[in-house]
Amino acid sequence: MHPRALLEAAFEAAVAACKRPETIVAALPPRPKGRVIVIAAGKGAVPMAQAVEAHWPEATGIAVTRTGYGSPLQRIELVEASHPVPDAAGLQAAARCLKLAESAQEGDLVLVLLSGGASALLAAPSAPLDLPAKQAVTRALVRSGAEIGEINLVRRHLSRIKGGRLAAAAFPADVLTLAVSDVVGDVPEDIGSGPTVGDKGTIADAQAVLARYGIADPGGWSESVKPDDPRLARSGFQVIVRPDDALDAAADYLRGQGYEPVLLDREATGDARRVAHAHAQSAIDARTAGRRAALISGGELTVTVTGSGTGGPNQEYALALGQAIAGRAGLAALAADTDGVDGNRDVAGAYVDGETVCALEEADIDIEAAQANNDAGSALGEIGALFVPGPTQTNVNDLRIILVDP
């Protein structure tokens, strides 16, 4: 099998491991006496809601997912909205989710199904902040290179639904959140910006993030619900799928193909290009040692955007990796986001190998200029290196694999 086909098959195995309906059903409690009200949000909202409908056909509610990620539902209503920058559809959906939660009574179960992307999909700016101002802050944070924990800290304090507010609205009903984690460390308050869990962070902490990255203070701050708030007493939270599940599935698949899986870093963070150079050296060392290995890493890398090109962290990583392994045989890699979206367009990432730089040069592409303009996507697209699997209906962070053949 060609290395690219093998890498893409490993990606498919990783994604499939994160979409098993039985994982959701196994986490459901006994049938409540009252209503089952489903509030699902994120790129995995639809398959999660479908699993609940198959188990509890009488369940009703709303599922909010990224545009293009929808599939038929029975009684739970489907809404598609914009990601990563929120739009009016997400604004309306968030308001409806809050009303659903407020309608819950004692004896009801509000079942919250969270997956990556929920933060942007449930946009409910705190007054007097409006949607354009919230969009501007989100764009600035994404372009700044801020880590997702910092971005979500700000989101929790500019919202009427995040930071524990959804669970507080549902009190005294029981609330159970089942989450597919897309964040390093599986931190509950960072998954979907924690609409059902308490938050120790403060407005001052959030303002410090904006100051750190030179982003103007938009005002309209609202303190999040704290962990000891009595309105959270009936709210439970369980992570049912983790990024590790994808990494382990990819490792199992490649082991079956005769490669020695090596987990370089389950929770990689930091600048995409810097990490790419470190991983390239690990691959070069492995080949020098004569190993047939698959170097695997997860986490979420960042890019400080200073140019006007197209791309995302995985495409930036791939281009830098391609440079670092240029001319070397036996090395091939795929860097992709498990949600099928790298940056803000429908490209998951890219494939590179020792011949990538040569192909770029033959296409008369200035690699240094592309990097300076954050235009890795255009450069790699010119040589057919982009990876576009389409909507995966899940999100468990990045998956990067380097195949080493002696």
Side-chain angles (χ1 to χ4, degrees):
M1 189 184 297
H2 188 277
R4 180 166 185 167
L6 189 61
L7 287 162
E8 292 183 4
F11 176 89
E12 291 174 3
V15 167
C18 300
K19 295 171 61 177
R20 295 176 295 191
E22 61 270 24
T23 303
I24 295 171
V25 173
L28 294 175
R31 175 70 172 82
K33 294 180 179 179
R35 296 177 297 162
V36 176
I37 301 171
V38 174
I39 297 175
K43 295 168 190 172
V46 169
M48 296 177 80
Q50 287 172 332
V52 173
E53 283 188 328
H55 187 70
W56 284 332
E58 71 280 10
T60 59
I62 185 170
V64 189
T65 193
R66 188 179 190 266
T67 300
Y69 279 55
S71 293
L73 293 167
Q74 300 302 313
R75 297 184 49 166
I76 297 171
E77 182 182 350
L78 172 66
V79 175
E80 295 188 346
S82 175
H83 179 279
V85 178
D87 65 0
L91 188 72
Q92 294 170 4
R96 292 180 61 195
C97 288
L98 278 170
K99 285 186 177 180
L100 269 178
E102 290 167 353
S103 75
Q105 304 293 320
E106 189 166 358
D108 292 343
L109 171 65
V110 178
L111 182 63
V112 180
L113 307 174
L114 282 185
S115 54
S119 291
L121 293 166
L122 293 181
S126 53
L129 202 67
D130 60 11
L131 181 60
K134 185 73 174 286
Q135 291 171 325
V137 171
T138 301
R139 287 192 186 97
L141 283 166
V142 170
R143 292 176 62 88
S144 72
E147 294 187 357
I148 192 63
E150 296 174 309
I151 295 173
N152 286 343
L153 174 62
V154 174
R155 284 168 162 165
R156 289 195 294 273
H157 290 88
L158 293 174
S159 175
R160 293 182 291 110
I161 195 170
K162 302 176 177 69
R165 296 175 182 85
L166 182 63
F171 185 81
D174 291 327
V175 178
L176 174 62
T177 302
L178 303 181
V180 174
S181 172
D182 68 324
V183 299
V184 171
D186 305 327
V187 181
E189 57 264 39
D190 280 336
I191 302 173
S193 296
T196 59
V197 295
D199 172 37
K200 294 180 181 179
T202 65
I203 290 174
D205 295 332
Q207 290 173 321
V209 170
L210 296 187
R212 188 177 307 132
Y213 293 99
I215 298 171
D217 190 327
W221 298 100
S222 174
E223 195 59 75
S224 55
V225 178
K226 301 310 171 191
D228 59 354
D229 192 298
R231 294 172 296 172
L232 301 182
R234 295 189 175 185
S235 182
F237 189 99
Q238 183 179 348
V239 176
I240 59 170
V241 178
R242 295 173 166 80
D244 278 357
D245 295 324
L247 301 182
D248 292 341
D252 289 344
Y253 175 82
L254 291 165
R255 185 182 293 110
Q257 299 297 315
Y259 288 86
E260 172 198 355
V262 178
L263 274 298
L264 286 180
D265 193 342
R266 289 183 178 270
E267 299 183 340
T269 58
D271 180 76
R273 296 180 198 172
R274 178 186 59 78
V275 174
H277 284 284
H279 288 183
Q281 189 58 56
S282 296
I284 292 167
D285 291 345
R287 189 169 191 277
T288 300
R291 299 169 69 181
R292 189 170 194 251
L295 310 187
I296 302 171
S297 63
E300 187 167 22
L301 304 182
T302 55
V303 174
T304 301
V305 180
T306 56
S308 59
T310 60
N314 287 292
Q315 293 159 79
E316 295 245 356
Y317 171 97
L319 184 56
L321 184 72
Q323 282 187 295
I325 63 173
R328 295 180 180 272
L331 299 178
L334 179 69
D337 198 316
T338 54
D339 63 0
V341 180
D342 184 37
N344 60 2
R345 63 181 188 146
D346 296 331
V347 172
Y351 168 86
V352 295
D353 57 25
E355 301 299 318
T356 296
V357 166
C358 181
L360 290 167
E361 291 172 347
E362 288 180 354
D364 199 27
I365 293 171
D366 186 332
I367 300 174
E368 300 299 332
Q371 288 180 322
N373 195 37
N374 296 117
D375 203 22
S378 294
L380 293 168
E382 286 290 326
I383 61 169
L386 296 179
F387 176 49
V388 188
T392 63
Q393 293 190 321
T394 191
N395 185 15
V396 286
N397 245 324
D398 297 337
L399 174 63
R400 295 170 295 273
I401 308 170
I402 307 174
L403 293 183
V404 182
D405 286 288

